[in-house]
Every structure is written in structure tokens, then in C-alpha cells.
Amino acid sequence: MELTKAKAAAGGAVVVVLMVAAGLVGHFATPQTTCEEVEQTTTTTDTPTTTQATPTLENYRLPTSLDPLHYVVKLQPHVNGNFSIMGHVEIEMVVLEKTSNITLHMAEITVYDDTIVLKNKADQNDLQIKDHEYDPSREFFIVHLAEELSVNTEVVLSMDFEGYLNDELRGFYRSTYTNENGDQIMLAATQFQPTDARRAFPCLDEPALKANFTVSLAREEHMATLSNMEIEATEPVEGQAGWVWDHYHTTVKMSTYLVAFVVSDFEFLSDLAGETNFSVWARPEAMDQADYSLSVGVDCLTYFESYFNIPYPLPKQDMVALPDFAAGAMENWGLILYRETAMLYSPEESSASNKQRVATVVVHELAHQWFGNLVTPTWWTDLWLNEGFASFMEFIGVDHVEPSWRMMDQFVVDTLHYVFGIDSLESSHPVSIPVGHPDEINEIFDSISYYKGASIIRMMYFFLTEATFKKGLTNYLNNFAYDAAAQDDLWQFLTEAAHEDDTLPSDVSVKDVMDTWTLLTGYPVVKVERNATGTAATVTQDRFLLLPSAPDRSDAAPSWWVPLTMTSQDAPDFTRTRPSAWLTPGTPTLILDGLPSADAWVLLNLQQTGYFRVNYDAGNWELLTKQLADAHEVIHVTNRAQVMDDALNLARAGQLPYETALGLTSYLAKEKEYTPWEAAMSSLSYVEKMFTRTAGYGPLRTYLLDLITPLYDDVGFEDDLNGLHLDQYKRVLALSWACHLGHPQCVAESAQQFGEMMLNGTPVSPNLKSTVYCSAIAGGGEEAWETAWALYLEANVGVEKDRLLSAMGCTKEIWLLSRYLEWAFTEGSGIRRQDARTVFRAVANNDVGRYIAWDFLRNRWGTISGYLGGFTTLGNLISYATAEFNTQEELQQLESFYETNLDSLGTATRAIQQAIESTRNNIGWMDANYQAIVTWLEGVAQGV
């Protein structure tokens, strides 16, 4: 299909539609109810008072008496004016239980009292309203009625209101960009998930309360609007020259958090995905970066239609790259919104990892069109059903779009190993967790919901088989289409498919298995102890914790349904990913018979499909070490990565001698694959961070340089942009570690390339820019930093801006780092609010900047939290600043910060609890392992 590139039409024929007139004028000087205080009309003497009770899960939920059916939402955002939003809403509801009040969600909105009308839909008669009130603690707008409504009555509540285009990147918010002429251009966009639709219009803002939405958006004629559906008609705004209304087709039944709007001057690029009109939008200067996301989107939308065997239900799919966006992207049905770095790709400026990020984020959001949008969790407790499935399906989808990237191999090091680290803390949480308050809901948009969710789904995908998995998913999606469901609903349909296909015993359900993975915190380590002859092994499980001896460890001993897969040296076969046995809560000990003799290794968890670690007896570890040293290719590449990660983390937890774990790494001199290297260096990075401020750092640095130098010499500094994707990843890993560790040739080459780029315009490979920039700025003083800042201000490509922001945090000049942090949290400094986290992380990752970042965070907590608002960003800052804490003094500072700011931590509460636990773990680790590792390093240096 031919691609068409066009400026969004601002004019065109005026079409009059048969809708409610769009005036929204005449009421704005009347009495009003705002969200700042409880204000009531004076028509009653028995007005209920605002609830002041301590928040609980129950009282933050709406009453169950009403179910919304249809919304008419009309908004006129003054994007280029005073940022007000003039609005009108009509909510058609059916009464499920007798009630004498109507409770909605509302935040930062002013309702005009004389416009509040309630009608009986059947006869259009007005129903008497006694009074209304606003409860700010729960963001409830409560309308009290003179008479009780009976069951099955359908009513329509309507009102006019005024909102505000905020600058907080939530609700309906404003954004800007500077065009090629230097003009500042305004736009507006939305981010409603999870609880911010109520900031745009009064609504029943819970995921299960789905309805149809008929949206009208007013715009100035030179701009364009977008919403979930296509525009049905456009007409002038009565009495307002230069303004028009875009009236949209009514949506399918959907949740409030998926409603979306954009008002901008963006351009678009279109293609067809089957019968779906697929468009990508961006600011005009960035449209040349939109082709790749369009290609991926079109390919993957049709692939998912086939995979789920369910057609995409909307007539169009728009994707928009925004200059300001809090998250990476948001899956609004038919109108997916992105950060520029997550949707735009420039072959000249973007690296292989940038390209992969665009592909994975696009595929992730498209997977949501079925998982999350078509079928939605009944409540945020099961957020993981949204995010875990999308995070798993992004690998399935990208593997289809880019098969040479070996995404299923990458899953292990990208997702599984990453979340293992977080889920090995006492302060982790189950993937399915009760939440009520908006702060609690925002808190669980974290690695456990996304990455643990994806990892246990991947495990299920393998033990059920792909065919059974797909069958169960399709049946589930069809049964609950346009409705809401809980995890038990999914388990039911997967169980039925599994029993039909005989992939689970008839007396075992998916719920039996998966409840242990979704309702319990953490994961097990499976211990394998072979007998003297090696022909049998005792297999047990225990929760894996990084510091089992932590003083506040609970006495609970959870156990899981663990699928066991195994192969051995006598007949290695890594394709048998269906379990041959199970460890279960009822059988904590299992005897495996028929193993080879004691001189042949066994290996469990083939392709690391299970969400657990494996520890062996000393003899089996020796045999695995020998196999890797002699012929490592015999072991599957994913299991080589598993062995690296398991061994080094078992050592970190005190369950394996570091001599054994570090000894395994010697084989890496022969390793040519990316994933085992990534697993090893990711785990070794912990040791490196703990040693940074110790006398043992010198010997460790020497050892790590000796380890990485053969790989550095093999891949070289000459980048091949046409080479294999994972070869490019491997080169980036080798060069970044070499320069970080001070490899003289790497540091010199980086400085030379940076200098030649500045003097002669000689391009640096996009894959190597992060390493070159950081290394050159670290050693280049103020001049190099100011050069990078100028490049940042001039850059038109989001990923280049992102790279430079990170690289400027590499400077060793303390005053520059301090100023940089100041700028990051100052409006108008040149650093966007969404990028403050990037700057903070860059400074905190710098050995020189770590305490500057921590002191800045402690001393400016109130300012920072106010500047960034909610969601998960605040928790990330705490994690970045404290990642290397390993002394009693640092622990005391953390605990003091926690106690001092307990009432203002909000969404950062869990993050600081995890930081405290991690610091205690680090202290314990230093006490237990520091000297042993130093002794081992001395032995290596002496050739012992």
C-alpha cells in the first residue's frame, strides 16, 4: 500500500451534525463547586458531611449501585490561551442497587451548580437533587437525591464544568516544543491511567466500569484533534470565530483510563493494517523518524489479529510521539501515546538498542489492545494481567517482526534476570496485590507487575505449550470481550484448554499452579543434591533471598508449584521444555532417579523457562565449570547465561562459595555470544559497585579488565551498522565496560572520536555514542560538558538528547554536577520535566556524583516531589541514589530520611523500604564476602 504523508487538515467543509449544541457558554458566571473544598448548595438541612476516616481499600472504591452506560464528553481546551478547559458531560447510568445518591470521581475541576441536572431516561423528567458535595480525600463528587432510585432505572446526569490543562504530565495536560523557526508551539495530550481521567471530566473512574463514549473536541482551525475513534463530522463553534468542533464516532465499550485526546499541529504518515487505517503522528520536524514505528505497527497489528484469532475491533489506530510524556507509552484504545524516544527511530542517529526499544514498546502497546483494552482487569489488583501479558507478548511480537534479534534469548537477560534481583528482597510484593488509594495503585506500576508478570507467563507458556496457551487466551478474550475479568477467570479458560489438550493432569488446575506464583512474594531456589554414585538426586525448594540472615526476615516458608526440566552430559538435549516432574507445596522433597554417573553433569531448568534459580552440590558445579572450559557450546546459550547469573547470585546470597562462582567466569574468554556475557557482567557489576570505595577495587578492576579485554580486542572499535543485531549489542557491552574500567586505548579512542566530531564533524557510530560521550566528558572538564550541553539544545532526535543528558552526568566536576541537578528540577532550564529522572540517574551513577545526588534528594525532597508529582518516578530516584549504599552510616541516613518524610513519601514508600533492605543486605554482603573475594583475586594475580 502506498504511503501518504500529509499535513493534518485544519479547514475543510463545515458539516452540521445532529448532536447537542456545543456552546458551553452562559453558565460560567454561576455558582460553582470546586475540587478545593467541600461546597454544598443550600437546599437541604441534612447534608452528609465529607468523609474524614482513615483511607481503606473499601472506602476508596465507588459504591456499587450504578453502572455507567454512555458518556457524552465535550471539551474545549484553550491550548494557546489561559489553559482552561470548558467542558460538558452527560453520563447515562443504570441503577443496580437502590440508592439515594450518585457518586462520581472528580479532581481539579470546577462544576457549575445550576447546570447539574438528573433526568429519568425513560420519560425525560427531571429528578430532584437535594444537594451535592465534594470529598477531596477520595476525589468523590456526590450528588444527593430527594428520592431513592429503584433498581433498573436508567438516569442521565449532566453538568457543565471547567478544568485546567496542567503541566504535570497527567490528566489532560499541556506540552510545548520549539519548531525549526525557533517558535514555541503549544499542544495538549492526555495520560489517564490509572486514576486521572477524573482530571479531565467527571466520571466513574474505575477500570471495570466500562461505557461507550461520544467525544467532541473544540480546536482552533489551524490545529488538529485526535481521540479514540475517527471524526464523524466537524462544525463551527457557535459565536467563536476561528474555532471548530470535531465530533467523534461513539467508541466501543471501554474503561475511562483508555479515553484519550490530543490537540496539536502534528503531521502524520499512514498505511493499512488489514482493514485498519494505521497512522503515526509527530511534530513536523520529526516526521522523518516515524517510518520504522509505522512499519512495525502495521506488521504486528495484523500478526496479533492472527495470534489471538480475534480481529482488532476499531476502524483506526493512531500512534503519537509527544515531546512530553511521563511514561514510555500508553495504550489508549485507538490512540497510543509515546515518548519520542519510544516511537521515533533515525537510522543516522539511533543505535541498535534504540531501534529495539521502539519495536518492543510499539509491540507492547499493541498487545494491550487485546490484553487490557478488550478485556480489562476488574480492579488494579490484577494490573499484572495487563502489564505482564503485554511485557511477555512484546517478545513474541518483536520476534515475529525482527526474527534475527533472537528476542526469546534476550528475554532471560533483559527481563528475567533483572526482576530476580528485585524479587529476592523481603520488601518485594506479590504480582497480584490489593490496592485502594491512588498512591498504592501507582506504586504497583513496577518491575514486579511488568517483569515478574511476564516471566511467570513465559513459564506457563512453556509448561502448557504454545498451542494450548493460545487456545486458552483466545477463549478467555472472546468470553470477556468489552468486559472486565480477574486472574481466576483466565486460569479457568487456560485450565479447560490444558485438560482438552492433556498438557496438565486432570486433577491439576492452572489456578493450583499459578496462585503460588501470583499470590506469594518472591521465588524459590531449587537445590539438587546427588548421591555418591550420582544416579539419584534429592531436589528441594526454599525461598531465595539475597540475605537470608537479615534480622527482620519473616519465618514464613512459602513453596511453589515448580516445573522441573532436566538434561545431562551423557545425552544433552535442551529442547525438552515441558516439565518431566513437579515440585509442589505438598511434596517439598522429590527424588530424581535414573541420572548418569557422578562424573557427568546434570542441568535443570532448560532454557531457564522456570521462574527459579538452581543450586547444585559442589561436584556438579565442578563438572559444569569443566564443561564450560572445555566445550561451552554443548550447553544451550540461554543456559550458559543462566549458569552465570545463578552462580554469581547464589554466591551473593551466601549459598555458593565465591571461589566457585568466579571460577565459572574464566570460560568467557572463549564466549562469542551476547547473552552469557550480559548475564555475567550484569551480575559482576554488583561486586564492582560494592568495591568502588575500598582498597580491594584495584585488584578487582584488574581482574575485570583481564576478563573483558579479549572481548574488547575481538569486537574492536569499528562498528558495523549492518552487522548482526546482537553482535552490535556485544560490541557496546565490551566497549562500555572497557572504558568504564579505564582501559587506556578505549579511553583514548573515545576522546579522539569526540574531538574529531566537534572539530571536523566526523560522525560517531550511534551504537558507540553513549560510551564515547561519557568517557570524553568524564575526562574533558568544563569545555567538554558545555560542548555536550550545546549539542543537547540543538538536537532534534529524542534519543540523541537522551544520550547527551546521560553523558553529561559523567563529568568529574562537582560544581557541574550540582548545577546539572539544579537545572533538572527547574522549569524553563532546558531540561524537560519528563527527563529529570534521566539526569538524576546519570549523576547518581557517577562515583563522584553519588553523594551529591543523595544530598540533593534529601535536602530538596518537598520541592522534587512537588515538581514531579506522582507515579513511579520518585521511587526511581531513591533507587538510583542508594544503589551502592553499603555502610552503617548510609543505612542510618536512609532510615532517618524514611522516618522524617513518612507522611510525604506517597508512591515512593515501597522504593525506600526496598532501599533500606538492600542497604542492609549490602552491609551483610561486605561483612561476609569482601575479604574472601580479595583473597581470591590475589590468588588469581599470583597464578594460584
Side-chain angles (χ1 to χ4, degrees), residues 108-121:
E108 299 176 0
I109 281 175
T110 299
V111 171
Y112 292 90
D113 294 349
D114 74 340
T115 70
I116 303 172
V117 176
L118 182 68
K119 289 182 179 292
N120 185 310
K121 185 184 176 186

Side-chain angles (χ1 to χ4, degrees), residues 669 671-672 708-717 730-731 734:
E671 181 61 77
K672 302 297 183 183
I708 203 72
T709 295
L711 183 66
Y712 172 85
D713 292 339
D714 182 55
V715 299
F717 228 102
K730 184 171 63 174
R731 180 174 294 105

Side-chain angles (χ1 to χ4, degrees), residues 800-879:
E800 178 70 355
K801 282 184 170 291
D802 213 39
R803 268 195 295 261
L804 287 160
L805 282 174
S806 294
M808 285 184 283
C810 297
T811 182
K812 303 304 181 185
E813 298 285 343
I814 292 174
W815 74 273
L816 285 173
L817 293 171
S818 297
R819 186 183 69 176
Y820 197 29
L821 286 174
E822 293 274 0
W823 288 1
F825 295 91
T826 300
E827 191 73 37
S829 66
I831 299 171
R832 292 184 180 273
R833 192 184 303 252
Q834 68 172 17
D835 296 325
R837 178 176 64 177
T838 301
V839 173
F840 188 91
R841 182 179 189 177
V843 175
N845 281 348
N846 184 338
D847 289 339
V848 173
R850 184 175 307 111
Y851 288 113
I852 299 172
W854 172 234
D855 288 344
F856 185 85
L857 187 67
R858 285 191 295 167
N859 296 333
R860 309 284 187 89
W861 177 253
T863 301
I864 291 170
S865 58
Y867 186 71
L868 295 180
F871 218 59
T872 57
T873 301
L874 289 171
N876 289 333
L877 301 190
I878 290 170
S879 301

Side-chain angles (χ1 to χ4, degrees), residues 97 247 270 496 777:
E97 303 165 3
H247 300 297
S270 295
E496 291 173 359
I777 291 169

Side-chain angles (χ1 to χ4, degrees), residues 561-572:
W561 278 76
V562 182
L564 299 179
T565 55
M566 185 184 71
T567 192
S568 59
Q569 186 173 354
D570 59 341

Side-chain angles (χ1 to χ4, degrees), residues 544-590:
F544 180 80
L545 289 167
L546 282 176
L547 193 64
S549 58
D552 63 344
R553 183 189 178 187
S554 69
D555 294 326
S559 56
W560 293 261
W561 278 76
V562 182
L564 299 179
T565 55
M566 185 184 71
T567 192
S568 59
Q569 186 173 354
D570 59 341
D573 180 358
F574 289 86
T575 64
R576 296 178 296 177
T577 53
R578 284 288 314 286
S580 56
W582 289 82
L583 269 178
T584 70
T587 55
T589 300
L590 184 68

